Amino acid sequence: MKPFLLLATRAEDLAADGEYEAFCRYGGLEPEQLHRVRLERDPLPAVDLDDYSGVLVGGGPFNSSDPEEAKGPAQRRVEAELKALLDEIVARDFPFLGACYGVGTLGAHQGAVIDSTYAEPVGPVAVELTPDAAADPLLAGLPQSFSAYVGHKEAVRKLPDSAVLLASSAGCPVQMFRVGRNLYATQFHPELDAAGIAQRVEIYRDYGYFPPEEADQVIERCTAVEVTEPMRIMRAFVERYAR
């Protein structure tokens, strides 16, 4: 099997490694089957898509809707590198799954309107599948409504015509969409379980997602809800595109 490629942007080693392990665990991948590039640290090397089964993008600190003058050198470099790679991925309809920051990257590439209108606090939300999700192979067998973890400062306010809306929530109309046949993005985290979200709350308690003194309450709110279905999307992506 050709490996998958994970493009990561988390600068904190504990968060970056936790994300990588979660993608492996819920994708059913061994470490040698998931290559990782930490873009916040290293420039993107030359990527031959023919060497991979698919491309994954994890979450991270960058907001694509930030004013250009507010973006640091690393963010500007990462956005330019991802745009160039997405040019080829979209042209080839190459398998792609972006989680959280993947909405900003793929959405921005396709001309979505992305801003802070539908930002969501860290915690579980009820995700509702749209009618178009019924025929999508990644969502086959999922319940019409399921719980997932979110926590983001920006979201898609308006999808471009090239995208098919697959899932929404009460506080964020675009929770998942598809471009072409094989490119997906989720606003929720398909790799996060209760232990994973608790770890991230601890790591990012001072990053402006919630008042730091409320971290324990955020963890309690997150772990009070059983979250099991989003991980099936991760596994379905791997099983569908592994080659």
Side-chain angles (χ1 to χ4, degrees), residues 5 69 73 175 206 230 233 242:
L5 175 64
E69 63 273 14
Q175 284 287 352
D206 296 313
I233 298 172

Side-chain angles (χ1 to χ4, degrees), residues 128-208:
E128 299 282 342
L129 297 182
T130 68
D132 284 317
D136 192 278
L138 256 61
L139 302 172
L142 262 68
Q144 182 66 32
S145 177
F146 57 86
S147 295
Y149 291 124
V150 300
H152 51 98
K153 298 176 182 179
E154 67 174 6
V156 173
R157 176 161 57 87
K158 184 178 184 301
L159 273 176
D161 293 339
S162 61
V164 176
L165 180 64
L166 297 174
S168 300
S169 69
C172 184
V174 180
Q175 284 287 352
M176 183 175 183
F177 65 88
R178 186 186 71 239
V179 172
R181 294 180 58 195
N182 302 311
L183 281 70
Y184 295 87
T186 65
Q187 186 65 76
F188 60 87
H189 287 274
E191 83 286 4
L192 270 189
D193 56 18
I197 190 71
Q199 181 189 58
R200 287 194 192 167
V201 168
E202 291 291 353
I203 294 169
Y204 293 110
R205 65 164 60 217
D206 296 313
Y207 282 66

